[in-house]
Amino acid sequence: MSIREINEQNVAADVEEVQKRLPAGSVAAVVCEREELLGAYARRLRKAGVALRRLPLCLTAETLDKTEADADVRMVVAVGGNTAADCAKYLGKRWGVPVFAAVGSPCALRVLDPYCLLWSGGIWRCVAGAAPCAAALLQEGVTATDNQLPAAFGDIVATAVHLFDLEATERAAGRTLPADLRERVFDIIYAALEQAAQGGRHDPKTAAVLAQAALDLAALSQQKTVLLHGGAESCARTAHMLFSYESRPPLLHGETAFLFGAVLARMYRAFADAPNVFMPPPDNNLRAEKLSEFLGWRETAAVRAASGRLSSSALTAYRLHEYRDELGGLAADVCKLFEEAKRPFRRLYADDGFGCKGVLDESDVRTVAALAPDTFAVAPSALALMRALGFLERYLP
């Protein structure tokens, strides 16, 4: 099945899809990231007979829990990208109504994800949401604000790291991936890379191409959620927690995912090439202390997060060693991709990436990589396997 065929199964025309799923006379609650995205789209919805109720954009669970739906609200429509979709998915789950994503932002990799990321109690929480019934690019066009292009591009390229996460976890469990999945993922990423390199930040087409690539990957990720929630995702979220706790301004999520993806690509290659030797087991007590010290977690939450989750480390280590050639080849391909993507990534910034210099130092990278597997357990990753097998203990601060 081609990428386009997969996309057609999951992505429908925007206004027509909303109209089809709403009973006559009902209301769609709309969450919008930016006012300029809503104008023409709202007019088309109203012309199609869809009444609208505007909702404020919010990503805190406490505020969203206080937002009540009118009796005639039958759908939540997210207009924008990941941020609007996360808010809409949480409300859709609470109210028991379907969610539709009208994509007007290139940062759209997770709009079809069944989870939503919310800020709650000082921690980014991934909670079950109402997965959108469909998503489509806005006919009015996709626009990008400051740093959204590199953030979107970073999210897309980091998917290659998550592909390795999926390959490693499947091999460790004695399973294999569909033979053509790797080719599909790399085809989408390289198409986005080519547009980023040729069009750059000054080409209006770049935002639309990146948004379409994000939706294509989102469609694939409905089959394999770990394509969205792998090691680079965990590191980006953990870095956000660290920066927030230390009152440091963070980068956008996709920017951080790209920076850590480049690091993880090299770590994964070394992990795949490592000999099958005994490593000391993780010190969960120490890990719990570090979660409290560097991320500000409460002691009880830190202890739960640091608990071991691997049932048979010996069998896992054996299988990973057995398939080291396959894993090493994929890790090499991911490293090559990041080397090719570094220059286009920098040139999507108005300052050619100068502002990214010095954001992360070696201590940040080591701390985040060591603690990331403990902060995010929605899906497994190669980083989580490295943690369980003792390979990350050397990075603990």
Side-chain angles (χ1 to χ4, degrees), residues 35-212:
E35 193 65 34
E36 61 268 25
L37 290 175
L38 188 58
Y41 181 64
R43 288 192 292 272
R44 289 201 299 117
L45 283 173
R46 293 189 181 99
K47 186 176 180 180
V50 178
L52 304 180
R53 177 196 171 193
R54 289 292 306 276
L55 296 177
L57 180 67
C58 177
L59 283 179
T60 63
E62 292 81 3
T63 300
L64 290 175
D65 284 338
K66 298 175 183 176
T67 305
E68 298 299 333
D70 293 338
D72 52 356
V73 168
R74 294 293 182 268
M75 175 179 283
V76 184
V77 178
V79 182
N82 296 323
T83 303
D86 282 346
C87 179
K89 285 183 285 188
Y90 190 82
L91 293 175
K93 177 73 171 181
R94 279 194 60 224
W95 299 343
V97 299
V99 176
F100 177 81
V103 176
S105 165
C107 296
L109 186 64
R110 286 176 295 279
V111 295
L112 293 173
D113 185 18
Y115 291 95
C116 43
L117 300 175
L118 299 175
W119 186 259
S120 179
I123 299 173
W124 277 107
R125 295 187 177 276
C126 193
V127 300
C133 56
L137 294 180
L138 282 177
Q139 294 182 16
E140 290 73 23
V142 177
T143 60
T145 57
D146 291 344
N147 293 1
Q148 276 197 332
L149 286 181
F153 182 65
D155 253 345
I156 290 167
V157 177
T159 307
V161 178
H162 300 160
L163 182 66
F164 182 93
D165 291 314
L166 180 56
E167 179 77 41
T169 51
E170 290 289 283
R171 294 292 187 181
R175 301 185 294 265
T176 59
L177 289 178
D180 58 344
L181 181 62
R182 181 191 304 190
E183 182 180 353
R184 292 176 180 178
V185 171
F186 275 101
D187 282 349
I188 295 171
I189 295 174
Y190 270 105
L193 192 158
E194 182 179 359
Q195 176 60 40
Q198 293 181 356
R201 63 180 180 272
H202 300 298
D203 185 358
K205 180 182 177 183
T206 301
V209 170
L210 294 184
Q212 185 62 62

Side-chain angles (χ1 to χ4, degrees), residues 3 11 15 24 51 60 66 76 78 112 124 155 187 206 215 227 243-244 254-255 279 283 299 302-303 350 362 392:
I3 293 294
V11 179
V15 170
T60 63
K66 298 175 183 176
V76 184
L112 293 173
W124 277 107
D155 253 345
D187 282 349
T206 301
L215 277 182
L227 282 176
F243 284 16
S244 176
E255 299 172 286
M279 299 292 289
D283 186 338
E299 182 178 347
V303 170
E362 182 178 348
L392 296 183

Side-chain angles (χ1 to χ4, degrees), residues 150-151 153-155 157-158 161 231-233 235-236 239 243 250-267 338 341-342 345-346 349 353-361 364-365 368-369:
F153 182 65
D155 253 345
V157 177
V161 178
E233 164 81 10
C235 285
F243 284 16
L251 298 173
L252 295 179
H253 177 89
E255 299 172 286
T256 315
F258 181 90
L259 297 178
F260 275 99
V263 174
L264 290 185
R266 297 192 296 271
M267 289 178 61
F338 270 92
K342 284 180 180 177
F345 174 75
R346 291 195 301 266
Y349 288 96
F354 179 77
C356 290
K357 294 175 66 66
V359 173
L360 296 171
D361 60 27
D364 292 330
V365 173
V368 169

